[in-house]
Amino acid sequence: MPELPEVETLVRHLRRRVVGERVRDAEIFRPRSIWRTSTRQLVRKLVGQRIRDLTRRAKYLRFDLENGGCFLVHLGMTGRLFVVRDPSAARKRDKHDVAHFHFADSTLVFHDPRKFGHMELGEASLHGLGPEPFDQKFSEGYLAEKLGHSRTPIKVRLLDQKLVAGLGNIYASEVLWRARIDPRVPCHRLGAIHLARLRKEIIATLRDAIRFGGGLSLNFDSPNPRDGLFYYGSGARRDNPSEHFDAYDREGKACRRCRTPITRTVQGGRSTFFCPRCQKHS
DNA sequence: CACCATGTTCCTTG
DNA sequence: CCAAGGAACATGGT
C-alpha cells in the first residue's frame, strides 16, 4: 500500500507529467477495477478531457477534469501509476496492466498485480473519509471525541479511514512506536496527554515520511521497479542501507530506543509491531 | 505446500 | 446497535 506518504510522493512526481494533458484514448484491460460505473461510461467521460489538476485525498489520487468532473484512483496494496514517454513503445500491455490512458506524447499506466486497487468517476468515495492529518480539523478535541468510549485497541482504530485519513498498517505501527503507546490499549483508556502525543506523532510521522520520499531519487517514467513506491523500505534500503522503519517489520530486532526486541502481534488479522518495554499502556 | 504481504468491504457471530 | 473476526477480492515472494 501505498499509504498517505507514498501516495503524496507519487502525486508530486506525477503532477508535472499529467496536468495539462488531454486524454486522447483510454484502454481498459480490467473492467472490474472500475467501480460504480461501466467501462464505456468511464471512457466516454474521460476521453477528450484535459486534466486540470492532480491532488491527493487520503490514499486516493484525484484527477480533476476540465469539465468540472473528477476521476479517482486508489492503488490498493500493489497498484502503481507511471507515465511512459517513449512514443514508439505505446507500452506493450503487461500482464498486470489495468488501464492505459494515452496523452499526445505519453501514456499513463495503471499497473496492479494484486488488483485490489480501483478507479472511479466522481468523488463519492471521498465523502465518508475523516480529516487529513494535516488539517486543522484533526485536533486534540476531535481525537478525544472520536476515540472517547471505544474499547477497540488504538492500533485498530488508527486504520479506520473515517477517524483520520491516510494511515495504513505500516505507519500505524510507526506512529504508536514514536508516541510510545501500546497498540493494544483500548482507546477510552488514553488520557489527554497521550491523545496529544498521538496526534502530534501522527502528523510528524507522516510529514517525515513525505519529506523522506521527496528526497529519494524515484523514477515514475517507466515500469522500472525503482520507482520506489512500495514501500520506501525497498527504495530506501538501496539509497540508505540502514532500515527505514523503527517498528514495522522489525520483529526480534532491537528497539532503537531501549534495545528490547520488537514484538509482533496480530490485531484485526494484521501484523502489529511494537516495543513491549517503551510502549507501555496509557 | 505453508504462510506472509502496503487495503477495503461485506457478512456473520456474539 | 456495536464490536470482533473471518472471508473475499488476487497474486507473488519467501
Side-chain angles (χ1 to χ4, degrees):
Chain A
M1 122 168 327
E3 299 182 29
L4 183 153
E6 290 82 4
V7 177
E8 179 65 28
T9 301
L10 173 61
V11 163
R12 291 180 186 185
H13 274 85
L14 236 39
R15 239 179 168 180
R16 66 183 172 82
R17 295 172 170 81
V18 306
V19 172
E21 294 287 349
R22 188 178 301 281
V23 182
R24 303 172 101 208
D25 188 24
E27 296 179 279
I28 308 298
F29 306 117
R30 189 173 189 277
R32 274 201 291 169
S33 293
I34 301 172
W35 287 13
R36 303 175 196 272
T37 186
S38 65
T39 299
R40 145 172 287 178
Q41 188 75 256
L42 180 108
V43 171
R44 193 188 306 158
K45 296 265 185 170
L46 273 184
V47 173
Q49 288 295 310
R50 192 183 291 278
I51 296 171
R52 188 191 284 170
D53 200 4
L54 169 60
T55 51
R56 178 192 61 73
R57 168 72 170 112
K59 301 171 189 173
Y60 284 89
L61 292 102
R62 174 189 173 131
F63 297 79
D64 286 297
L65 308 176
E66 63 184 336
N67 68 359
C70 97
F71 172 61
L72 300 179
V73 176
H74 192 292
L75 299 174
M77 295 269 257
T78 56
R80 292 167 182 233
L81 284 175
F82 49 83
V83 175
V84 181
R85 286 210 159 267
D86 183 354
S88 62
R91 163 116 174 141
K92 217 176 181 175
R93 180 194 165 179
D94 179 271
K95 186 179 164 190
H96 300 304
D97 284 356
V98 165
H100 288 176
F101 301 99
H102 301 287
F103 304 134
D105 305 301
S106 59
T107 298
L108 174 65
V109 178
F110 181 17
H111 183 261
D112 186 14
R114 210 166 151 186
K115 301 172 176 60
F116 288 173
H118 71 268
M119 313 173 270
E120 58 185 281
L121 287 171
E123 40 198 339
S125 289
L126 304 182
H127 289 148
L129 293 169
E132 286 290 314
F134 310 115
D135 194 290
Q136 290 214 330
K137 275 180 277 195
F138 184 57
S139 62
E140 282 177 43
Y142 170 85
L143 249 195
E145 185 202 318
K146 296 291 278 190
L147 296 181
H149 301 81
S150 169
R151 252 154 281 271
T152 301
I154 183 60
K155 154 64 161 41
V156 175
R157 289 293 284 121
L158 290 183
L159 296 179
D160 180 356
Q161 304 297 298
K162 293 190 285 301
L163 174 70
V164 57
L167 287 175
N169 204 43
I170 292 176
Y171 292 105
S173 282
E174 293 297 292
V175 162
L176 292 170
W177 182 86
R178 287 175 59 144
R180 305 188 192 215
I181 293 172
D182 186 326
R184 301 164 298 184
V185 175
C187 296
H188 71 93
R189 288 185 45 206
L190 292 170
I193 301 280
H194 300 99
L195 290 180
R197 210 154 72 204
L198 179 60
R199 173 180 167 277
K200 180 179 149 221
E201 294 302 342
I202 287 171
I203 294 168
T205 301
L206 295 173
R207 180 202 60 208
D208 288 353
I210 291 170
R211 184 179 305 151
F212 179 75
L216 295 176
S217 51
L218 303 176
N219 174 10
F220 291 95
D221 297 308
S222 76
N224 190 328
R226 189 130 170 68
D227 63 15
L229 251 197
F230 319 97
Y231 358 179
Y232 284 165
S234 51
R237 263 167 223 140
R238 257 175 297 202
D239 289 346
N240 176 1
S242 64
E243 298 172 72
H244 180 233
F245 300 122
D246 289 312
Y248 184 79
D249 204 20
R250 296 198 71 237
E251 182 180 17
K253 297 184 178 164
C255 169
R256 298 209 164 98
R257 278 189 302 249
C258 73
R259 314 314 296 170
T260 300
I262 296 291
T263 296
R264 171 183 179 272
T265 188
V266 173
Q267 297 179 285
R270 315 203 56 196
S271 293
T272 299
F273 300 87
F274 69 104
C275 172
R277 180 159 169 213
C278 49
Q279 289 174 256
K280 286 296 188 192
H281 98 291
S282 44

